[in-house]
Every structure is written in structure tokens, then in C-alpha cells.
Amino acid sequence: MPKLKTNRGAAKRFRATASGYKSRRTNRNHILTKKATKRKRQLRASAQIGQSDLNSIDRMLPYTINRTTKRRRHYRAKDIANATTSYVVIDEVNNAKS
């Protein structure tokens, strides 16, 4: 199977997170003098991509870690399993010292 091409525009605009993708908010590039300070401040935060757009972004970014919800669930379960193991090890060390 041939390699899949990443959409370079999407790669520059979206970043993968544990729960989906994030992007920069719109309306903060120019003509800022007429916009209120509160509005500009709230536009600093990155936006979470909605569920309806996830499939199209997954197609544009085929090599991101969280490509499907199945894979997302797998990584979360793996992290939880590792976290539980590390807590047990820490408790054993604390009990051994006391």
C-alpha cells in the first residue's frame, strides 16, 4: 500500500491532543482596534475541534497518534494501567522505608 500524504495546511493548523485536536482561534489577525480587550483576551486560548470535524481531520492527518476513537481508548487504558502500577510501586517503597 502506498504512503498516505499529509495535508500540509492541516498539519500547520491542527495539533493532536489526548481527546482530539486543537487549533488557533479565528478573528485575531487584523482589525483589532475595534475589538474589545475582553474579546481579544478570550481569543488567545486554543479551540477544541468539534466531533463533527474529527473524521475529516483524521483523513487529512493520517499519521497522528489519535487517529480513531478505538486507538484513543487503547492509549487511555494503557496509561491508566501504567499509572496504577506506578502507584503500587511508590506505596511499596514508602512502606519499606517506614
Side-chain angles (χ1 to χ4, degrees), residues 78-93:
K78 195 174 174 183
D79 290 340
I80 291 169
N82 290 339
T84 306
T85 307
S86 63
Y87 290 135
V88 171
V89 171
I90 290 169
D91 289 340
E92 289 174 3
V93 171

Side-chain angles (χ1 to χ4, degrees), residues 10-22:
K12 293 169 189 171
R13 286 173 173 82
F14 305 111
R15 293 286 173 255
T17 63
S19 61
Y21 295 94
K22 67 178 182 176

Side-chain angles (χ1 to χ4, degrees), residues 19-21 49-59 72:
S19 61
Y21 295 94
I49 302 301
Q51 291 292 325
S52 59
D53 296 324
L54 284 180
N55 286 337
S56 59
I57 294 176
D58 282 341
R59 269 195 308 271
R72 285 184 197 119

Side-chain angles (χ1 to χ4, degrees), residues 11-58:
K12 293 169 189 171
R13 286 173 173 82
F14 305 111
R15 293 286 173 255
T17 63
S19 61
Y21 295 94
K22 67 178 182 176
S23 69
R24 189 168 175 256
R25 291 199 184 263
T26 58
N27 300 320
R28 194 157 181 265
N29 284 329
H30 62 97
I31 314 175
L32 298 174
T33 54
K34 64 173 76 170
K35 294 174 185 161
T37 307
K38 179 180 178 181
R39 183 176 169 193
K40 291 186 281 191
R41 182 174 61 247
Q42 289 174 339
L43 289 172
R44 282 184 211 150
S46 58
Q48 192 71 19
I49 302 301
Q51 291 292 325
S52 59
D53 296 324
L54 284 180
N55 286 337
S56 59
I57 294 176
D58 282 341

